[in-house]
């Protein structure tokens, strides 16, 4: 299956990604696997568990209600956006405003192949964690995950796909202090999407304004 129609899905992807946890579909969340981007190899990651459910019955007429997105700031290539988030008692979260910093990019190799990237902060009591989330169209090759390069150097772990909610799939990972520092100091990054083993599409995501957008995100 080819990766297509992603540009028309940008609004849907951004809306879903703003919220830290969207429970519209069942999926298994696997730990991040290690590996280099491998611009040409595209070798799939070792199995890390069960992926998104296959053959699940469709639910006609049931579509996720997308929240209204408000753009509160722009820093470089990043937009800081907020939406109202519903309470999730199972995860201990209360209703309130959820914010994230987002950017969209498309591949120079094939402009129909694109993705949306968002960084958001999840607070749990006195502690908080920073997550990077990527929304792609369905049709991506899930086992490979999403390798990431910053200024030409591969990150040690790939983003792992965690769920597919047609018409998009989501990959995510928690940002360590070391990875966060690389994003802050870096100038450019590449996120790789695969539609089959060995066929990857590099998508450039600018890191201009990343630090300032992150500081803006801390206000909310």
């Amino acid at each position: 299956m080819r990766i297509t129609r992603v540009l028309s899905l940008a609004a849907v992807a951004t809306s879903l990604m703003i919220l830290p946890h969207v429970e519209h579909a069942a999926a298994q969340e696997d730990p991040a696997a290690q590996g280099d981007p491998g611009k040409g190899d595209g070798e799939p990651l070792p199995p890390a568990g069960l992926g998104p459910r296959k053959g699940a019955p469709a639910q006609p007429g049931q579509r996720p209600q997308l929240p209204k997105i408000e753009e509160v700031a722009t820093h470089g290539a990043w937009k800081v956006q907020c939406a109202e988030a519903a309470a999730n008692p199972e995860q201990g979260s209360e209703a309130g405003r959820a914010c994230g910093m987002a950017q969209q990019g498309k591949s120079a190799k094939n402009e129909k192949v694109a993705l949306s990237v968002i960084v958001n902060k999840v607070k749990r009591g006195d502690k908080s964690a920073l997550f990077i989330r990527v929304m792609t169209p369905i049709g991506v090759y899930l086992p490979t995950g999403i390798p990431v390069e910053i200024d030409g150097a591969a990150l040690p772990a790939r983003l792992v796909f965690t769920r597919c909610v047609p018409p998009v799939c989501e990959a995510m990972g928690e940002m360590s202090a070391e990875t966060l520092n690389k994003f802050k100091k870096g100038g450019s990054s590449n996120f790789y999407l695969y539609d089959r083993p060995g066929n990857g599409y590099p998508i450039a995501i600018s890191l201009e304004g990343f630090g300032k957008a992150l500081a803006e995100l801390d206000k909310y």
Side-chain angles (χ1 to χ4, degrees):
M1 184 179 297
R2 295 182 180 274
I3 307 173
T4 58
R5 298 179 57 222
V6 68
L7 295 180
S8 64
L9 304 178
V12 176
T14 302
S15 298
L16 292 177
M17 291 167 65
I18 284 291
L19 305 180
H21 299 281
V22 182
E23 298 299 337
H24 293 300
Q28 301 291 331
E29 295 190 2
D30 300 328
Q34 303 296 317
D36 295 331
K39 297 179 182 178
D41 58 12
E43 294 180 0
L45 298 177
L50 299 178
R53 293 174 59 191
K54 296 182 179 180
Q59 300 295 326
Q62 291 188 5
R63 293 179 178 269
Q65 294 184 353
L66 303 181
K68 182 179 179 180
I69 302 298
E70 177 187 3
E71 186 174 318
V72 297
T74 299
H75 294 282
W78 295 88
K79 296 180 179 180
V80 180
Q81 301 171 324
C82 296
E84 294 301 316
N88 191 328
E90 294 182 0
Q91 297 177 348
S93 63
E94 300 178 354
R97 207 179 194 198
C99 298
M101 44 187 284
Q103 184 181 159
Q104 297 167 3
K106 60 183 178 181
S107 174
K109 184 177 176 180
N110 183 345
E111 65 178 12
K112 293 183 178 181
V113 179
L115 51 72
S116 295
V117 178
I118 198 168
V119 176
N120 59 7
K121 184 173 290 186
V122 178
K123 295 182 179 180
R124 299 188 181 99
D126 297 332
K127 298 182 179 180
S128 63
L130 203 63
F131 287 87
I132 184 167
R133 304 156 67 85
V134 178
M135 285 293 189
T136 75
I138 57 175
V140 295
Y141 185 66
L142 301 179
T144 306
I146 302 180
V148 181
E149 287 180 343
I150 296 180
D151 293 335
L155 294 183
R158 301 180 179 192
L159 296 174
V160 174
F161 283 101
T162 57
R163 71 191 78 196
C164 288
V165 186
V168 295
C169 287
E170 176 193 55
M172 68 178 296
E174 184 173 351
M175 299 183 74
S176 66
E178 181 180 0
T179 297
L180 178 59
N181 191 49
K182 291 180 180 179
F183 272 87
K184 286 182 176 179
K185 293 184 177 180
S188 63
S189 66
N190 276 313
F191 288 66
Y192 287 81
L193 287 186
Y194 288 84
D195 60 358
R196 61 184 183 272
N199 194 45
Y201 296 85
I203 299 176
I205 294 294
S206 172
L207 299 182
E208 178 189 0
F210 183 93
K212 291 183 178 180
L214 188 62
E216 185 79 29
L217 190 62
D218 288 337
K219 299 178 182 179
Y220 300 94

